[in-house]
Protein backbone atom coordinates (compact mmCIF):
# COMPACT_ATOMS: atom_id res chain seq x y z
CA UNK A 1 0.00 0.00 0.00
CA UNK A 2 1.28 3.44 -0.90
CA UNK A 3 1.37 5.78 2.09
CA UNK A 4 0.25 9.38 1.94
CA UNK A 5 2.93 11.91 1.17
CA UNK A 6 2.38 13.44 4.61
CA UNK A 7 3.31 10.13 6.24
CA UNK A 8 6.48 9.93 4.18
CA UNK A 9 7.63 13.46 4.92
CA UNK A 10 10.21 13.90 7.69
CA UNK A 11 9.14 15.48 10.97
CA UNK A 12 9.60 19.24 11.04
CA UNK A 13 10.49 20.90 14.34
CA UNK A 14 9.10 24.38 14.74
CA UNK A 15 11.75 27.01 15.37
CA UNK A 16 11.73 29.15 18.49
CA UNK A 17 10.86 32.82 17.96
CA UNK A 18 13.62 35.34 18.60
CA UNK A 19 11.71 36.97 21.44
CA UNK A 20 11.90 33.69 23.37
CA UNK A 21 15.66 33.43 22.92
CA UNK A 22 16.62 37.04 23.68
CA UNK A 23 16.01 36.87 27.48
CA UNK A 24 18.57 34.07 27.76
CA UNK A 25 21.47 36.22 26.55
CA UNK A 26 22.22 38.10 29.77
CA UNK A 27 22.06 35.04 32.08
CA UNK A 28 24.20 33.10 29.61
CA UNK A 29 26.84 35.84 29.52
CA UNK A 30 26.88 36.09 33.32
CA UNK A 31 27.27 32.33 33.72
CA UNK A 32 29.99 32.33 31.06
CA UNK A 33 32.04 35.03 32.75
CA UNK A 34 31.68 33.61 36.27
CA UNK A 35 32.48 30.06 35.12
CA UNK A 36 35.62 31.18 33.34
CA UNK A 37 36.77 33.28 36.30
CA UNK A 38 36.42 30.27 38.60
CA UNK A 39 38.45 28.15 36.19
CA UNK A 40 41.18 30.78 35.89
CA UNK A 41 41.22 31.36 39.64
CA UNK A 42 41.67 27.67 40.44
CA UNK A 43 44.37 27.22 37.79
CA UNK A 44 46.30 30.33 38.88
CA UNK A 45 46.17 29.25 42.53
CA UNK A 46 47.30 25.75 41.53
CA UNK A 47 50.19 27.15 39.49
CA UNK A 48 51.37 29.24 42.43
CA UNK A 49 51.24 26.25 44.75
CA UNK A 50 52.95 24.09 42.11
CA UNK A 51 55.86 26.53 41.95
CA UNK A 52 56.22 26.33 45.73
CA UNK A 53 56.03 22.53 45.85
CA UNK A 54 58.24 21.76 42.87
CA UNK A 55 60.69 24.70 42.84
CA UNK A 56 60.84 26.83 45.99
CA UNK A 57 60.81 24.09 48.62
CA UNK A 58 63.19 21.58 46.95
CA UNK A 59 65.60 24.41 46.11
CA UNK A 60 65.55 25.56 49.72
CA UNK A 61 66.17 22.00 50.92
CA UNK A 62 68.89 21.35 48.37
CA UNK A 63 66.92 18.47 46.84
CA UNK A 64 66.53 17.92 43.11
CA UNK A 65 63.23 19.37 41.92
CA UNK A 66 62.21 16.16 40.18
CA UNK A 67 64.35 13.67 42.01
CA UNK A 68 62.75 10.29 42.66
CA UNK A 69 62.59 10.92 46.39
CA UNK A 70 60.91 14.31 45.95
CA UNK A 71 58.34 12.97 43.47
CA UNK A 72 57.44 10.20 45.92
CA UNK A 73 57.19 12.71 48.77
CA UNK A 74 55.06 15.31 46.99
CA UNK A 75 52.65 12.85 45.36
CA UNK A 76 52.13 10.96 48.62
CA UNK A 77 51.69 14.23 50.53
CA UNK A 78 49.17 15.35 47.91
CA UNK A 79 47.22 12.15 48.54
CA UNK A 80 47.27 12.86 52.27
CA UNK A 81 46.11 16.46 51.80
CA UNK A 82 43.30 15.54 49.41
CA UNK A 83 42.32 12.62 51.65
CA UNK A 84 41.98 14.98 54.65
CA UNK A 85 39.66 17.26 52.68
CA UNK A 86 37.57 14.35 51.40
CA UNK A 87 37.36 12.95 54.93
CA UNK A 88 36.74 16.07 57.01
CA UNK A 89 35.36 18.91 54.87
CA UNK A 90 31.55 19.14 54.60
CA UNK A 91 30.29 17.40 51.48
CA UNK A 92 33.42 15.23 51.21
CA UNK A 93 34.40 16.94 47.92
CA UNK A 94 31.48 15.41 46.02
CA UNK A 95 30.80 11.90 44.76
CA UNK A 96 33.33 9.29 43.72
CA UNK A 97 35.12 10.93 40.74
CA UNK A 98 35.19 7.62 38.87
CA UNK A 99 31.40 7.94 38.49
CA UNK A 100 31.46 11.50 37.10
CA UNK A 101 31.92 12.57 33.46
CA UNK A 102 31.52 15.83 31.58
CA UNK A 103 27.75 15.66 32.16
CA UNK A 104 28.13 16.81 35.76
CA UNK A 105 25.74 16.15 38.66
CA UNK A 106 24.10 19.06 40.47
CA UNK A 107 25.68 19.27 43.90
CA UNK A 108 24.51 21.42 46.85
CA UNK A 109 26.54 24.57 47.57
CA UNK A 110 28.09 23.13 50.75
CA UNK A 111 30.04 20.60 48.66
CA UNK A 112 31.61 23.09 46.25
CA UNK A 113 34.36 24.70 48.42
CA UNK A 114 35.85 21.30 49.22
CA UNK A 115 35.73 20.29 45.56
CA UNK A 116 37.53 23.50 44.56
CA UNK A 117 40.20 22.90 47.20
CA UNK A 118 40.96 19.30 46.22
CA UNK A 119 41.08 20.27 42.55
CA UNK A 120 43.71 22.93 43.21
CA UNK A 121 45.71 20.54 45.39
CA UNK A 122 45.56 17.85 42.72
CA UNK A 123 46.65 20.17 39.91
CA UNK A 124 49.58 21.44 41.96
CA UNK A 125 50.68 18.10 43.35
CA UNK A 126 51.19 16.30 40.05
CA UNK A 127 48.59 13.51 39.64
CA UNK A 128 47.76 12.84 35.99
CA UNK A 129 44.34 14.48 35.79
CA UNK A 130 42.97 17.71 34.33
CA UNK A 131 40.63 20.30 35.82
CA UNK A 132 37.66 19.74 33.50
CA UNK A 133 35.35 17.38 35.43
CA UNK A 134 35.51 19.01 38.90
CA UNK A 135 35.42 22.58 37.57
CA UNK A 136 32.38 21.77 35.42
CA UNK A 137 30.74 20.25 38.49
CA UNK A 138 31.52 23.32 40.61
CA UNK A 139 30.21 25.70 37.96
CA UNK A 140 27.05 23.64 37.43
CA UNK A 141 26.29 23.61 41.14
CA UNK A 142 26.94 27.33 41.48
CA UNK A 143 24.87 28.20 38.40
CA UNK A 144 21.90 26.14 39.57
CA UNK A 145 22.04 27.65 43.04
CA UNK A 146 22.43 31.28 41.94
CA UNK A 147 20.07 30.92 38.99
CA UNK A 148 17.35 29.46 41.19
CA UNK A 149 17.70 32.35 43.63
CA UNK A 150 17.79 35.27 41.19
CA UNK A 151 15.74 33.96 38.23
CA UNK A 152 13.43 31.36 39.79
CA UNK A 153 11.09 31.27 36.79
CA UNK A 154 13.80 30.06 34.40
CA UNK A 155 13.70 26.34 33.56
CA UNK A 156 15.99 24.51 35.98
CA UNK A 157 17.62 22.46 33.23
CA UNK A 158 19.01 25.58 31.50
CA UNK A 159 21.59 26.29 34.23
CA UNK A 160 23.60 23.04 33.94
CA UNK A 161 23.71 23.43 30.15
CA UNK A 162 24.98 27.01 30.43
CA UNK A 163 27.64 26.14 33.02
CA UNK A 164 28.88 23.08 31.14
CA UNK A 165 29.14 24.98 27.87
CA UNK A 166 30.79 27.98 29.51
CA UNK A 167 33.41 25.85 31.24
CA UNK A 168 34.23 23.82 28.14
CA UNK A 169 34.52 27.02 26.11
CA UNK A 170 36.84 28.47 28.75
CA UNK A 171 38.94 25.30 28.99
CA UNK A 172 39.68 25.22 25.26
CA UNK A 173 39.60 28.96 24.64
CA UNK A 174 36.90 28.69 21.96
CA UNK A 175 33.12 28.16 21.92
CA UNK A 176 33.52 25.62 19.11
CA UNK A 177 34.54 22.89 21.56
CA UNK A 178 31.48 23.60 23.70
CA UNK A 179 29.15 23.58 20.70
CA UNK A 180 30.42 20.16 19.66
CA UNK A 181 30.25 18.69 23.15
CA UNK A 182 26.78 20.10 23.89
CA UNK A 183 25.51 18.85 20.52
CA UNK A 184 26.48 15.31 21.52
CA UNK A 185 24.80 15.69 24.91
CA UNK A 186 21.62 17.03 23.29
CA UNK A 187 21.55 14.06 20.93
CA UNK A 188 21.11 11.78 23.96
CA UNK A 189 18.19 13.76 25.36
CA UNK A 190 14.67 14.48 24.21
CA UNK A 191 14.62 18.11 23.11
CA UNK A 192 12.10 20.39 21.47
CA UNK A 193 12.68 22.74 18.59
CA UNK A 194 15.62 23.01 16.24
CA UNK A 195 19.19 22.20 17.23
CA UNK A 196 20.44 25.78 17.04
CA UNK A 197 17.53 27.00 19.14
CA UNK A 198 18.71 24.63 21.87
CA UNK A 199 22.33 25.64 21.32
CA UNK A 200 21.70 29.40 21.37
CA UNK A 201 22.01 30.04 25.11
CA UNK A 202 24.81 27.48 25.77
CA UNK A 203 26.79 28.82 22.83
CA UNK A 204 26.38 32.35 24.19
CA UNK A 205 27.71 31.17 27.57
CA UNK A 206 30.59 29.36 25.86
CA UNK A 207 31.48 32.46 23.87
CA UNK A 208 31.49 34.60 27.01
CA UNK A 209 33.61 32.03 28.85
CA UNK A 210 36.15 31.63 26.06
CA UNK A 211 36.46 35.37 25.48
CA UNK A 212 37.01 35.99 29.19
CA UNK A 213 39.78 33.39 29.38
CA UNK A 214 41.33 34.71 26.16
CA UNK A 215 41.49 38.21 27.59
CA UNK A 216 43.00 36.99 30.86
CA UNK A 217 45.22 34.09 29.85
CA UNK A 218 45.63 33.88 26.01
CA UNK A 219 45.40 30.05 25.85
CA UNK A 220 46.72 28.17 22.82
CA UNK A 221 46.64 24.45 22.09
CA UNK A 222 48.65 24.50 18.86
CA UNK A 223 51.88 22.55 19.37
CA UNK A 224 53.76 24.22 16.48
CA UNK A 225 54.78 20.86 15.06
CA UNK A 226 56.47 20.79 11.64
CA UNK A 227 54.04 21.38 8.78
CA UNK A 228 53.27 18.28 6.77
CA UNK A 229 52.12 20.14 3.66
CA UNK A 230 49.80 18.33 1.32
CA UNK A 231 48.44 15.03 2.65
CA UNK A 232 49.29 11.88 0.71
CA UNK A 233 48.25 8.24 0.76
CA UNK A 234 51.01 7.41 3.24
CA UNK A 235 49.65 10.06 5.62
CA UNK A 236 46.17 8.55 5.33
CA UNK A 237 47.47 5.07 6.11
CA UNK A 238 49.53 6.35 9.03
CA UNK A 239 46.58 8.22 10.53
CA UNK A 240 44.33 5.14 10.30
CA UNK A 241 46.92 2.84 11.89
CA UNK A 242 47.98 5.22 14.67
CA UNK A 243 44.39 6.18 15.56
CA UNK A 244 43.39 2.52 15.73
CA UNK A 245 46.40 1.61 17.86
CA UNK A 246 45.63 4.55 20.16
CA UNK A 247 42.03 3.40 20.54
CA UNK A 248 43.08 -0.18 21.32
CA UNK A 249 45.71 0.96 23.83
CA UNK A 250 43.25 3.23 25.63
CA UNK A 251 40.63 0.47 25.66
CA UNK A 252 43.11 -1.64 27.64
CA UNK A 253 43.15 1.12 30.26
CA UNK A 254 39.36 1.34 30.19
CA UNK A 255 39.14 -2.41 30.77
CA UNK A 256 41.51 -2.17 33.74
CA UNK A 257 39.72 0.84 35.24
CA UNK A 258 36.98 -0.93 37.26
CA UNK A 259 39.46 -3.49 38.63
CA UNK A 260 41.94 -0.83 39.78
CA UNK A 261 39.06 1.18 41.24
CA UNK A 262 37.81 -1.89 43.14
CA UNK A 263 41.30 -2.55 44.50
CA UNK A 264 41.57 0.96 45.95
CA UNK A 265 38.00 0.88 47.24
CA UNK A 266 38.83 -2.19 49.34
CA UNK A 267 41.05 0.06 51.46
CA UNK A 268 37.80 1.63 52.62
CA UNK A 269 38.86 5.12 53.73
CA UNK A 270 40.06 8.23 51.85
CA UNK A 271 43.04 8.54 54.20
CA UNK A 272 44.16 5.14 52.91
CA UNK A 273 43.07 5.18 49.27
CA UNK A 274 44.44 8.60 48.32
CA UNK A 275 47.89 8.33 49.99
CA UNK A 276 48.20 4.83 48.52
CA UNK A 277 47.31 6.27 45.12
CA UNK A 278 49.89 9.01 45.58
CA UNK A 279 52.51 6.41 46.44
CA UNK A 280 51.75 4.40 43.28
CA UNK A 281 51.83 7.60 41.22
CA UNK A 282 55.24 8.38 42.69
CA UNK A 283 56.52 5.00 41.53
CA UNK A 284 55.12 5.61 38.04
CA UNK A 285 56.72 9.07 37.93
CA UNK A 286 60.05 7.53 38.90
CA UNK A 287 59.66 5.15 35.97
CA UNK A 288 58.40 7.62 33.36
CA UNK A 289 60.14 10.82 34.42
CA UNK A 290 58.79 14.20 35.46
CA UNK A 291 57.20 14.84 32.05
CA UNK A 292 54.54 12.27 32.94
CA UNK A 293 53.36 14.39 35.89
CA UNK A 294 50.50 16.91 35.98
CA UNK A 295 47.67 17.29 33.49
CA UNK A 296 50.13 17.24 30.59
CA UNK A 297 49.57 20.32 28.43
CA UNK A 298 52.85 22.08 29.24
CA UNK A 299 54.65 18.76 28.97
CA UNK A 300 53.39 17.96 25.46
CA UNK A 301 54.51 21.43 24.38
CA UNK A 302 58.01 20.49 25.57
CA UNK A 303 57.90 17.22 23.64
CA UNK A 304 56.55 18.86 20.49
CA UNK A 305 59.29 21.49 20.55
CA UNK A 306 61.81 18.73 19.78
CA UNK A 307 59.92 15.70 18.38
CA UNK A 308 63.20 13.95 17.57
CA UNK A 309 64.71 14.56 21.00
CA UNK A 310 63.63 11.22 22.49
CA UNK A 311 63.90 7.64 21.28
CA UNK A 312 60.96 5.43 20.36
CA UNK A 313 61.53 3.47 23.56
CA UNK A 314 61.40 6.60 25.71
CA UNK A 315 58.18 7.74 24.03
CA UNK A 316 56.70 4.26 24.51
CA UNK A 317 57.56 4.27 28.22
CA UNK A 318 55.99 7.72 28.68
CA UNK A 319 52.86 6.57 26.83
CA UNK A 320 52.33 3.51 29.00
CA UNK A 321 53.29 5.26 32.26
CA UNK A 322 50.98 8.22 31.64
CA UNK A 323 48.09 5.93 30.76
CA UNK A 324 48.68 3.88 33.91
CA UNK A 325 48.95 7.09 35.97
CA UNK A 326 45.63 8.28 34.54
CA UNK A 327 43.94 5.01 35.56
CA UNK A 328 45.42 5.12 39.07
CA UNK A 329 44.67 8.81 39.69
CA UNK A 330 41.08 8.47 38.49
CA UNK A 331 40.56 5.26 40.50
CA UNK A 332 41.95 6.17 43.91
CA UNK A 333 39.85 9.28 44.51
CA UNK A 334 41.70 12.28 43.12
CA UNK A 335 39.19 14.74 41.66
CA UNK A 336 40.02 15.49 38.04
CA UNK A 337 39.22 14.96 34.39
CA UNK A 338 40.65 12.53 31.86
CA UNK A 339 40.81 14.58 28.66
CA UNK A 340 44.13 16.37 29.12
CA UNK A 341 46.13 13.32 30.30
CA UNK A 342 44.63 11.41 27.36
CA UNK A 343 45.97 14.12 25.04
CA UNK A 344 49.45 13.51 26.48
CA UNK A 345 49.09 9.76 25.89
CA UNK A 346 48.02 10.30 22.28
CA UNK A 347 50.84 12.78 21.70
CA UNK A 348 53.58 10.49 22.95
CA UNK A 349 52.07 7.58 21.02
CA UNK A 350 52.15 9.63 17.81
CA UNK A 351 55.74 10.72 18.43
CA UNK A 352 56.67 7.10 19.16
CA UNK A 353 55.20 6.13 15.77
CA UNK A 354 57.27 8.88 14.13
CA UNK A 355 60.42 7.67 15.90
CA UNK A 356 59.76 4.09 14.80
CA UNK A 357 58.80 4.88 11.20
CA UNK A 358 60.32 8.07 9.83
CA UNK A 359 57.64 8.21 7.14
CA UNK A 360 55.03 8.95 9.80
CA UNK A 361 54.98 12.73 9.99
CA UNK A 362 54.94 13.95 13.62
CA UNK A 363 51.86 16.12 12.98
CA UNK A 364 49.96 13.18 11.53
CA UNK A 365 51.12 10.81 14.26
CA UNK A 366 50.25 13.18 17.11
CA UNK A 367 46.80 14.17 15.83
CA UNK A 368 45.84 10.57 14.99
CA UNK A 369 47.15 9.26 18.32
CA UNK A 370 45.20 11.88 20.26
CA UNK A 371 42.08 11.11 18.23
CA UNK A 372 42.19 7.39 18.92
CA UNK A 373 42.95 7.71 22.63
CA UNK A 374 40.28 10.35 23.21
CA UNK A 375 37.64 8.34 21.36
CA UNK A 376 38.23 5.41 23.70
CA UNK A 377 38.52 7.48 26.89
CA UNK A 378 35.70 9.99 26.36
CA UNK A 379 33.45 8.45 23.69
CA UNK A 380 32.93 12.05 22.49
CA UNK A 381 33.45 11.91 18.72
CA UNK A 382 33.19 15.59 17.84
CA UNK A 383 35.24 16.73 20.82
CA UNK A 384 37.94 14.16 20.02
CA UNK A 385 38.13 15.35 16.42
CA UNK A 386 38.29 18.97 17.52
CA UNK A 387 41.09 18.47 20.06
CA UNK A 388 43.14 16.34 17.67
CA UNK A 389 42.79 18.91 14.88
CA UNK A 390 43.47 21.98 17.01
CA UNK A 391 46.79 20.59 18.24
CA UNK A 392 48.13 20.65 14.68
CA UNK A 393 46.11 23.62 13.40
CA UNK A 394 46.39 22.70 9.72
CA UNK A 395 43.24 22.47 7.55
CA UNK A 396 44.58 19.44 5.69
CA UNK A 397 44.61 17.32 8.82
CA UNK A 398 40.83 17.42 9.22
CA UNK A 399 40.08 15.13 6.28
CA UNK A 400 42.65 12.61 7.48
CA UNK A 401 41.19 12.61 10.98
CA UNK A 402 37.61 12.22 9.77
CA UNK A 403 38.59 9.10 7.84
CA UNK A 404 40.81 7.75 10.63
CA UNK A 405 37.98 8.19 13.14
CA UNK A 406 35.83 5.61 11.33
CA UNK A 407 37.85 2.43 12.06
CA UNK A 408 38.77 3.80 15.49
CA UNK A 409 35.09 4.33 16.29
CA UNK A 410 34.26 0.77 15.21
CA UNK A 411 36.80 -0.41 17.77
CA UNK A 412 35.42 1.62 20.68
CA UNK A 413 31.66 1.76 20.13
CA UNK A 414 29.69 -0.54 22.38
CA UNK A 415 32.71 -1.04 24.64
CA UNK A 416 32.88 0.02 28.31
CA UNK A 417 33.66 3.68 29.01
CA UNK A 418 36.14 5.14 31.50
CA UNK A 419 33.30 5.96 33.85
CA UNK A 420 31.68 3.76 36.48
CA UNK A 421 28.24 3.43 37.98
CA UNK A 422 27.82 3.71 41.74
CA UNK A 423 28.02 -0.08 42.05
CA UNK A 424 31.47 -0.05 40.39
CA UNK A 425 30.42 -1.50 37.04
CA UNK A 426 31.43 0.17 33.78
CA UNK A 427 29.16 2.49 31.83
CA UNK A 428 28.61 1.45 28.23
Amino acid sequence: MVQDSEDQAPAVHASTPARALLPSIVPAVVVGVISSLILVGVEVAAEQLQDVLWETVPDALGIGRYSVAWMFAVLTATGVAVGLVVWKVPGHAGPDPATVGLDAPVLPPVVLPGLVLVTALMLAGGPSLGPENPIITVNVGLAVWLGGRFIPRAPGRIWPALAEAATIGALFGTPVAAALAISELLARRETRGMLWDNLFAPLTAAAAGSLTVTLLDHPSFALNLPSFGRAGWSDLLASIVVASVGALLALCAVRAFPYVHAAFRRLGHPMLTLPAGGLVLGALAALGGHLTLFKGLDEIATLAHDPDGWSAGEFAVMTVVKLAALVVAASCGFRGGRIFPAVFVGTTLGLCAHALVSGVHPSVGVSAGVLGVLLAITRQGWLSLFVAAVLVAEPGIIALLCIASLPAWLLVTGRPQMQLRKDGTSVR
Side-chain angles (χ1 to χ4, degrees), residues 41-66:
V42 171
E43 289 195 325
V44 168
E47 287 172 2
Q48 296 297 318
L49 180 57
Q50 179 180 327
D51 290 342
V52 172
L53 291 176
W54 294 98
E55 296 179 11
T56 306
V57 174
D59 288 351
L61 296 175
I63 301 173
R65 291 181 176 181
Y66 293 105

Side-chain angles (χ1 to χ4, degrees), residues 5 8 40 83-84 88 120 156 178 181 188 251 254 256 321 344 426:
S5 59
Q8 296 176 340
V40 171
L84 281 170
K88 290 295 187 181
R188 304 174 193 171
L251 280 178
V254 173
V321 166
F344 181 99
S426 297

Side-chain angles (χ1 to χ4, degrees), residues 41 81 103 165 181 243 303 347 376 425:
D103 194 4
L303 295 172
T347 299
T425 59

Side-chain angles (χ1 to χ4, degrees), residues 69-90:
W70 190 246
M71 289 192 291
F72 266 106
V74 174
L75 285 162
T76 304
T78 301
V80 172
V82 173
L84 281 170
V85 177
V86 174
W87 180 27
K88 290 295 187 181
V89 171

Side-chain angles (χ1 to χ4, degrees), residues 35-43 104 115-116 119-120 123 130-142 163-164 167-168 170-171 335-337:
S35 296
S36 61
L37 290 176
I38 291 173
L39 171 65
V40 171
V42 171
E43 289 195 325
L115 186 53
V116 169
T119 302
L123 290 173
E132 60 273 18
N133 288 12
I135 296 300
I136 289 175
T137 302
V138 168
N139 286 337
V140 165
L142 192 61
E164 288 174 10
T167 310
I168 294 172
L171 280 164
R335 272 58 175 170

Side-chain angles (χ1 to χ4, degrees), residues 9 23 25 68 77 114 136 155 176 190 192 198 205 223 265 269 298 306 312 318 346 358 382 385 415-416:
I25 293 177
V68 171
I136 289 175
V176 176
E190 185 177 348
R192 296 180 180 180
N198 288 281
L223 295 180
R265 193 160 65 172
H269 195 282
D298 292 337
D306 184 15
M318 285 189 279
S358 59
W382 284 121
L385 276 168
R415 309 288 183 182

Side-chain angles (χ1 to χ4, degrees), residues 14-27 154-155 158 197-198 200-201:
S15 60
T16 305
R19 65 178 179 275
L21 298 176
L22 285 172
S24 67
I25 293 177
V26 172
I158 188 64
D197 289 335
N198 288 281
F200 181 83

